[in-house]
Amino acid sequence: MSSTTDNTTTDDDATDARPRELLQAANVKKHFPLNEGLIDRLLGDDRVVRAVDGVDLTVHAGETVGIVGESGSGKSTLGRTLSRLYEPTDGSVVFDGQHIETHSGRELRPIRRRIQYVFQDPMSALNPRKTVGQSVARPLEVHDIASGDEKWKRVADLFEEVGLGPSQLDAYPHELSGGQRQRVGLCRALVTEPDLVVFDEPVSALDVTLQAQILNLINRLQREFDLSYLLISHNLNVVRQVCDRIAVMYAGEIVERGATADIFENPQHPYTRSLLDAIPQIDGDGTRADRKGLDGEPPSATNPPSGCRFHPRCPEFIDGSCPGQKPSLQDVEGDAGHEAACHWLDRSEAERAAHTPPSTTEREVIRSESADD
């Protein structure tokens, strides 16, 4: 008897095969008033710090998305805004099909259970007057998930899951090491059985050995609990180890995004290239070879540069289009899902390779002419 296999795929099957979009952000902005005093308001001083200034981002179920950039790029503010620790100034945030950008109070309560945040410094997130066991157990009470013996069993099971012993349930935060406190932070995030965990520099305060342990633990927990992650870090080696996709932020905007391999192997934005060039390397004799860092300082978030916000520091500055026109995210040829916001994407690779950036004096003339236009 012979049999045939129907390889026809229906539209419904194709839809079901795609990863579910768990979090969708569209044109998200978070601006902070620079002056809030009575005199400033009377004088009409409405300047703002544009910490996040129009970000689109998607996190699919089961994946890890990394947000990278220098200090002040807006990555932590973005994480707190998407998890609704901050209220967005503008834009939409959709979590599992539900708009949450305008939620507050009681409406946010079920969302807070499903989106958890792990802070950079677990010491600051733990009550020094309570044992770490009490701190981890508290969300179970707040969300009416468990109480009594069941509550403590859940906490003890999680402690064991992350490599902490039963005796540490009664320890106070100051009695634990940095690595142990970070494990407690993981327990506190996982205890409500969330769908999405936002990590803000989860290993930046740890030595290299402990970093590897925590990152391996984060990876294992994702598989075991079917979690989605948004991981914020300035350390490109960290995001390379754990992230499926990466978004590169500069001055409140995403300037490049794509699969991790594409970002590392085929970076298109000069800022991304500069970040990668600054990663320390180990020479053949085992000595550390420091790489050249990026010159200059990040721009003012109150008065960002015109055009491409990176142009005052850009080592690949082209011409008047850089300060005169703001580039939009465009597809990178040959890399599915890879986008960059750079005027070089409108030009050939040969032209880019042969280009000699203008001198500092020439740049000032170009900027001045661009401003006059």
Side-chain angles (χ1 to χ4, degrees), residues 46-72:
D46 57 356
R47 291 177 299 166
V48 296
V49 175
R50 302 173 182 273
V52 175
D53 209 22
V55 165
D56 297 337
L57 187 72
T58 299
V59 180
H60 295 94
E63 79 167 340
T64 300
V65 176
I67 308 292
V68 299
E70 297 170 290
S71 295

Side-chain angles (χ1 to χ4, degrees), residues 100-293:
I100 65 171
E101 67 271 9
T102 58
H103 281 15
S104 61
R106 186 172 296 178
E107 291 177 310
L108 269 179
R109 189 173 178 181
I111 300 302
R112 297 205 187 284
R113 174 178 175 173
R114 298 182 63 194
I115 304 177
Q116 288 290 310
Y117 202 96
V118 177
F119 293 89
Q120 177 178 358
D121 178 14
M123 190 72 177
S124 64
L126 296 171
N127 189 331
R129 296 187 177 90
K130 292 185 179 293
T131 67
V132 293
Q134 290 172 323
S135 291
V136 172
R138 178 61 179 159
L140 294 174
E141 301 167 354
V142 170
H143 294 285
D144 298 320
I145 298 172
S147 60
D149 291 343
E150 182 187 354
K151 174 185 71 177
W152 289 112
K153 184 179 185 306
R154 285 189 180 220
V155 175
D157 288 347
L158 265 180
F159 268 51
E160 182 179 358
E161 189 73 45
V162 303
L164 295 171
S167 63
Q168 289 161 324
L169 284 166
D170 297 323
Y172 288 87
H174 71 273
E175 296 175 321
L176 300 179
S177 67
Q180 289 171 332
R181 286 195 292 266
Q182 195 59 277
R183 291 171 192 266
V184 171
L186 285 172
C187 285
R188 193 175 186 188
L190 296 178
V191 74
T192 62
E193 299 181 351
D195 298 288
L196 175 67
V197 180
V198 180
F199 292 96
D200 192 349
E201 300 280 7
V203 296
S204 62
L206 306 177
D207 64 36
V208 175
T209 301
L210 285 175
Q211 283 185 12
Q213 292 177 6
I214 295 297
L215 291 176
N216 288 336
L217 175 61
I218 286 172
N219 276 334
R220 178 171 63 80
L221 292 172
Q222 181 177 41
R223 295 191 300 269
E224 292 183 7
F225 294 96
D226 193 24
L227 298 166
S228 302
Y229 289 157
L230 185 64
L231 192 145
I232 299 160
S233 180
H234 70 279
N235 189 326
L236 287 163
N237 284 326
V238 167
V239 295
R240 186 174 198 174
Q241 183 173 337
V242 299
C243 295
D244 302 298
R245 292 189 295 121
I246 294 173
V248 181
M249 280 195 76
Y250 184 78
E253 300 177 336
I254 290 178
V255 297
E256 186 165 5
R257 62 187 175 200
T260 299
D262 292 336
I263 295 295
F264 276 84
E265 296 169 12
N266 186 29
Q268 290 298 303
H269 198 282
Y271 179 61
T272 307
R273 294 185 176 197
S274 296
L275 292 178
L276 292 172
D277 285 343
I279 298 176
Q281 302 290 321
I282 303 300
D283 287 341
D285 60 0
T287 60
R288 175 183 168 122
D290 290 331
R291 306 285 289 276
K292 177 177 172 53

Side-chain angles (χ1 to χ4, degrees), residues 30-35 45-53 72 250-253 297-313 323 326 367 371:
K30 182 56 184 175
H31 298 170
F32 296 96
L34 188 62
N35 295 297
D45 189 346
D46 57 356
R47 291 177 299 166
V48 296
V49 175
R50 302 173 182 273
V52 175
D53 209 22
Y250 184 78
E253 300 177 336
E297 298 294 330
S300 166
T302 304
N303 184 29
S306 62
C308 173
R309 293 184 177 181
F310 187 56
H311 83 258
R313 306 171 69 193
K326 181 177 179 176
R367 289 191 192 112

